[in-house]
Structures are given as C-alpha cells and as structure tokens.
Amino acid sequence: ILLVSVVHPSLFERLWPPFATAAGAGLIVAAWLIRRGRAETADGVQEEHRNPFEFMLALRFGLFLAAIAVLSRALDAWFGETGLYVLAAASGLADVDAITLTLANMANGTPSEDVIANAICLAAGVNTVVKAGLAFYLGGAHFGARVSAALGASLAAGGASHPPDLIEAGVE
C-alpha cells in the first residue's frame, strides 16, 4: 500500500482505510493469541532469508511485473473490469506488489479508481487466503488455525471497511 502512496496518492486515500483496518484487526487477534499463550512456531519449518537485491530474484520480479503489466492492459481491453478482477485474483495467488504497481499506474482514467481499488483489495484478499493455506500446509493444523484466526480477522475487517460498489458494477 505504501507503493500506491508514491505512484498514485489519490488512490492511496481510497486504500489506506481498509488496509489499516485489516492490519489493526490482525494485530489485535495476534496479540490476544500471544497473550493467551497459544501462539506457537511451526516445527520443522526452515526459514530461508534471501537478499532482495540478489540479481536473479530482482530479475524474476521484474519479469513478473512486466507480464502483469502486459496482461492487465490486454485483459482490460478485451474483457474490461472483469478481466482486471480475474488478473488481480490470479496475481494474488503469488504476489501483491506487481499487480498493485501495475494497477496504480493505470489509475488515470479507464478503468476507474474504484475498479482499481477493488482489484487491489481483491489481490490482497486472495494473497491473505493463500498465506493461511500455507500456514496449514507448512505448520500443521494447530499452527494453521492460529495464523488463520489473525488473517481471517484481518480479511473480515478490511473487507467490511471497503465494500465494493456493487451498484457501479451493475449488481443491484
């Protein structure tokens, strides 16, 4: 979301409330779990820390960003808003930064800022669900349930503070 504040400040004004609400809710649930002594680590999970400035990692991100940029323009031209929503959801399976940057750069006309904001929130929501699934897969049921509680609270609060404009989308 901080990327949006640099690339498109007026879009940031639309997005910061749901993202701040989501972060706050997730932190509250995580703090409650820690305080109750129910937070735990995933046994047997090796963390791999990589230098984000490593050439191959940066190259892969650049290629992913370029592919998302090309696809977003093509899907917008061919399928309109629906194409952007499908791309945002698919992109959220792997990464949120590339689609966020691409959509923020598109937010100067067509599609509308509302559509762009909804697509960014959709990508973030899908990515949150993926992270919950990874917590179950890598850490087991007990760990996954704890992580999913915080992520679920985050997702619910963020979604409640940014309901999509269904009337504009043609759903009444």
Side-chain angles (χ1 to χ4, degrees):
I1 190 72
L2 293 178
L3 297 170
V4 175
S5 71
V6 173
V7 175
H8 203 288
S10 67
L11 184 60
F12 174 75
E13 291 174 16
R14 291 176 187 259
L15 289 173
W16 79 262
F19 279 84
T21 304
L27 287 172
I28 289 169
V29 172
W32 179 77
L33 287 170
I34 290 169
R35 183 165 184 178
R36 304 234 345 139
R38 298 186 189 269
E40 61 184 49
T41 60
D43 293 332
V45 175
Q46 285 283 30
E47 287 189 42
E48 181 182 335
H49 299 284
R50 299 181 68 183
N51 181 352
F53 299 109
E54 181 183 318
F55 178 72
M56 288 307 293
L57 187 61
L59 180 63
R60 278 188 289 227
F61 179 76
L63 290 172
F64 187 63
L65 181 60
I68 294 296
V70 169
L71 283 171
S72 64
R73 296 288 180 183
L75 290 174
D76 183 40
W78 295 334
F79 303 108
E81 296 173 8
T82 302
L84 289 179
Y85 290 141
V86 169
L87 180 63
S91 180
L93 292 171
D95 180 67
V96 177
D97 295 333
I99 192 71
T100 300
L101 280 172
T102 299
L103 293 174
N105 281 320
M106 290 177 69
N108 290 322
T110 305
S112 71
E113 280 190 8
D114 286 335
V115 170
I116 298 295
N118 291 342
I120 290 171
C121 288
L122 176 62
V126 168
N127 192 261
T128 301
V129 171
V130 168
K131 288 176 183 173
L134 286 172
F136 275 101
Y137 178 73
L138 296 173
H142 192 67
F143 180 75
R146 300 295 184 257
V147 170
S148 293
L151 292 178
S154 177
L155 194 59
S161 66
H162 182 80
D165 188 354
L166 297 178
I167 294 172
E168 179 183 317
V171 179
E172 298 184 42

